[in-house]
Amino acid sequence: MSQAARITELDCLRGIAILLMILFHIVFDLAYFYNWSLDYLNGFWYYQGKTAAILFMLVSGISNTLSRQPIRRGLTVFGTGMLITLVTYFYNPTMYIRFGILHLLGFSMFTAPWLAKQSALLLTLAGTTLLITSHWIASLTATTTWLLPLGITPTGFASLDYYPLLPWLGVVLYGMAAGKLLYPARQPLWPSAVTCVPIRTLSWLGRQSLLIYLVHQPIILAVLSFLFIYL
């Protein structure tokens, strides 16, 4: 969406997702780098992190039905994902990010001009098909990494962030179906008078979500390093 056409409630939902993501990555960093007894692979923290990711996907799907320039936005998001791939490869070549959430969202934006023309019912059915099919796909293994975007992994595969098209594109399609139903006239659901401080803060975070995603981990690690060294 263009700046003039932004919908406040969607920016607020992105802002909530950003806060949830930052909290999850603080937990991850404390467990991974400082050996705190925090289980981010199971239980509460696992689902808290997945909630952030799913919220990003749903809001991105809604935005795919509203954006007038999804391809350009997709290039930015997917390109940022490839930058993270490069950085994480040099940081940890055994677990670097090859198809993380930014790759997923960027790819979905590339398909938006066609998918946004489909009905909410068809998008829902397609999303459900991807979710169901993913259970079978996850049981397959490959000898190559070229099938990673589809959810087919080689034995022993590990990654710091992995959101393949199956099943996660299905969640984006649910978001697109919601966008078709909730925003047929591209008008906000919230009245424009809703401008309290928490809403403005969340909306600002949502508008800066890509930049925050790019810089938040180095900032978290720097702050934790300072705290553990000097406090």
Side-chain angles (χ1 to χ4, degrees), residues 10-25:
L10 297 183
D11 283 331
C12 286
L13 289 174
R14 283 194 195 89
I16 292 171
I18 281 288
L19 293 177
L20 291 174
M21 176 196 69
I22 290 173
L23 177 58
F24 176 78
H25 284 159

Side-chain angles (χ1 to χ4, degrees), residues 16-28 39-40 42-55 163:
I16 292 171
I18 281 288
L19 293 177
L20 291 174
M21 176 196 69
I22 290 173
L23 177 58
F24 176 78
H25 284 159
I26 290 173
V27 170
F28 171 85
D39 187 0
Y40 58 87
N42 299 283
F44 175 81
W45 292 117
Y46 172 82
Y47 290 107
Q48 189 268 342
K50 282 294 180 280
T51 298
I54 289 171
L55 188 53
Y163 286 93

Side-chain angles (χ1 to χ4, degrees), residues 91-172:
Y91 167 71
N92 189 340
T94 63
M95 294 185 63
Y96 72 100
I97 298 171
R98 281 172 269 193
F99 204 86
I101 193 168
L102 292 186
H103 301 81
L104 167 71
L105 298 183
F107 179 89
S108 75
M109 293 171 192
F110 294 149
T111 65
W114 176 72
L115 289 175
K117 297 177 182 178
Q118 311 309 313
S119 68
L121 176 60
L122 184 58
L123 291 167
T124 301
L125 291 174
T128 302
T129 300
L130 291 180
L131 291 173
I132 293 173
T133 305
S134 68
H135 291 288
W136 171 70
I137 290 292
S139 68
L140 303 177
T141 57
T143 58
T144 176
T145 58
W146 288 104
L147 298 177
L148 285 176
L150 298 178
I152 303 175
T153 62
T155 301
F157 170 75
S159 177
L160 294 169
D161 184 44
Y162 183 49
Y163 286 93
L165 299 175
L166 280 77
W168 300 109
L169 182 59
V171 179
V172 178

Side-chain angles (χ1 to χ4, degrees), residues 7 31 36 66 68 85 107 126 139 141-142 144 167 188 194-195 210 230-231:
I7 294 179
W36 280 37
L66 302 173
R68 293 182 173 85
T85 294
F107 179 89
S139 68
T141 57
T144 176
V194 179
T195 57
L210 187 59
Y230 296 103
L231 296 182

Side-chain angles (χ1 to χ4, degrees), residues 59 64 79 84 98 106 120 136 139 145 155 171 173 190-191 196 199 212 218:
V59 175
N64 284 349
I84 291 176
R98 281 172 269 193
W136 171 70
S139 68
T145 58
T155 301
V171 179
L173 294 182
W190 285 4
C196 62
I199 295 299
I212 295 172

